[in-house]
Amino acid sequence: MFVCLGNICRSPLAKALFEKHEYENGLQNRFYIDSAGTNRNHAGEGADRRTLLNARKNGLVFYHEAKQFKLSHFETFDLIVVMDRSNENNVKSLSADMELHKKVHLMRKWDIHGTNEDVPDPWYGGPEGFEEVFQILNRSTAALLRDLAFG
Ligand code: 4NP
């Protein structure tokens, strides 16, 4: 489960890129993947048009409908991959169970360039921020898939 704040920029893109890597490695549908936001301000909306535009420039087209992260997702998913430390705090604040907290990991734990930094929130910036997020998520989700599929 990929998680960001609004579920319209970063986490939907992370899901789409993870699925792209699965497909390219003959691993399609190997994992049950989803994305959600810690707030529900954009629930029901599609992905942010700047995210979609940037993804299309990079050859990636995907469908998305935003939803909020729920406590029940802790049970549904083995791994909860958050984009930044604020998302991490928000997700963990839903439960005091330390066993559940162990499922939560920062996306850039899998980034060879910038281990454990936040995936920057592109919302208030320009197009270059969306491209930076794309590159970060492209390499991080590829490494995550390698980790999960091949150990
Ligand atoms: P996301 O980006 O968390 O990557 O989906 C954002 C989306 C919406 C807002 C902020 C960040 N917002 O302030 O509405």
Side-chain angles (χ1 to χ4, degrees):
M1 170 60 106
F2 294 104
V3 178
C4 61
L5 175 65
N7 191 218
I8 53 171
C9 297
R10 292 166 293 174
S11 62
L13 180 62
K15 173 178 184 269
L17 284 166
F18 188 92
E19 287 173 338
K20 178 183 78 114
H21 297 309
E22 276 191 309
Y23 186 81
E24 288 175 355
N25 286 279
L27 296 167
Q28 53 268 35
N29 300 320
R30 172 85 171 264
F31 300 98
Y32 178 62
I33 310 155
D34 207 347
S35 74
T38 59
N39 77 23
R40 59 186 181 84
N41 297 355
H42 297 277
E45 294 177 14
D48 185 283
R49 58 176 296 280
R50 298 164 295 174
T51 295
L52 291 173
L53 195 64
N54 185 262
R56 204 168 67 203
K57 273 190 198 147
N58 285 291
L60 180 71
V61 174
F62 63 93
Y63 175 78
H64 175 66
E65 191 176 325
K67 63 172 174 291
Q68 188 175 25
F69 183 83
K70 298 263 182 291
L71 181 59
S72 62
H73 291 135
F74 266 117
E75 303 295 341
T76 319
F77 293 91
D78 298 317
L79 195 57
I80 295 161
V81 180
V82 294
M83 299 299 127
D84 63 32
R85 283 163 175 77
S86 163
N87 309 148
E88 182 180 27
N89 290 335
N90 289 334
V91 161
K92 287 182 174 173
S93 72
L94 292 175
S95 169
D97 185 339
M98 291 300 160
E99 284 307 306
L100 295 185
H101 286 192
K102 285 182 189 164
K103 293 184 172 188
V104 182
H105 299 268
L106 284 168
M107 178 80 267
R108 293 189 85 178
K109 176 180 169 180
W110 287 276
D111 186 0
I112 50 166
H113 306 309
T115 308
N116 263 5
E117 286 171 29
D118 290 344
V119 179
D121 180 348
W123 181 259
Y124 292 108
E128 67 288 347
F130 287 83
E131 176 62 19
E132 184 193 7
V133 165
F134 187 97
Q135 296 305 330
I136 291 168
L137 292 178
N138 195 29
R139 58 181 188 257
S140 301
T141 54
L144 172 60
L145 177 64
R146 277 196 299 274
D147 195 2
L148 293 179
F150 309 118

